[in-house]
Amino acid sequence: QVQLVESGGGLVQAGGSLRLSCVASGSIFSINVMGWYRQAPGKQRELVASILSGGGTNYADSLKGRFTISRDNAKNTVYLQMNSLKPEDTAVYYCTTVAQPVGSPLYTHYWGQGTQVTVSS
């Protein structure tokens, strides 16, 4: 019904930047919130940032000022600009959305497969 494909992960040195992208595709009638979570080895998955269709954003307190989320509603795409990266930012980053598939009255939560971000010291 709805597929999410992330891109932009990789290996970067501490202090560097990466930009993640996530495209939602499929039989989509409407998308509400889009966002990013991350999961480091041995840790629980945690919210990084989210953005509503109207542009309202929410960030993990520890990431404010370094990470910026944005979206292109026309392209069903969400971005995560990550600056001043630290080794502790190393994790698998998952794209997520709450979307209404065509023909369904319900909004459903979808997840991407994840993209690895590794920050070396």
Side-chain angles (χ1 to χ4, degrees):
Q1 289 180 322
V2 178
Q3 297 81 41
L4 299 173
V5 178
E6 303 105 331
S7 61
L11 174 65
V12 64
Q13 288 188 331
S17 298
L18 282 176
R19 188 190 193 211
L20 306 182
S21 300
C22 173
V23 180
S25 63
S27 299
I28 301 171
F29 180 75
S30 177
I31 294 179
N32 184 0
V33 62
M34 301 188 79
W36 295 92
Y37 280 70
R38 69 183 184 183
Q39 187 166 20
K43 295 188 177 181
Q44 289 188 330
R45 192 173 295 190
E46 62 176 0
L47 172 70
V48 174
S50 62
I51 183 167
L52 298 174
S53 57
T57 58
N58 181 45
Y59 292 91
D61 287 342
S62 62
L63 300 177
K64 289 179 180 178
R66 293 195 299 123
F67 288 16
T68 302
I69 191 170
S70 61
R71 66 190 277 180
D72 184 332
N73 291 332
K75 297 180 179 179
N76 290 339
T77 300
V78 63
Y79 306 97
L80 184 68
Q81 178 67 42
M82 305 184 292
N83 298 327
S84 302
L85 283 162
K86 305 175 181 180
E88 51 264 44
D89 294 318
T90 295
V92 177
Y93 284 70
Y94 296 92
C95 177
T96 182
T97 187
V98 177
Q100 183 182 14
V102 171
S104 172
L106 302 176
Y107 280 87
T108 303
H109 200 173
Y110 297 92
W111 292 90
Q113 292 297 310
T115 185
Q116 177 70 46
V117 171
T118 303
V119 184
S120 63
S121 58

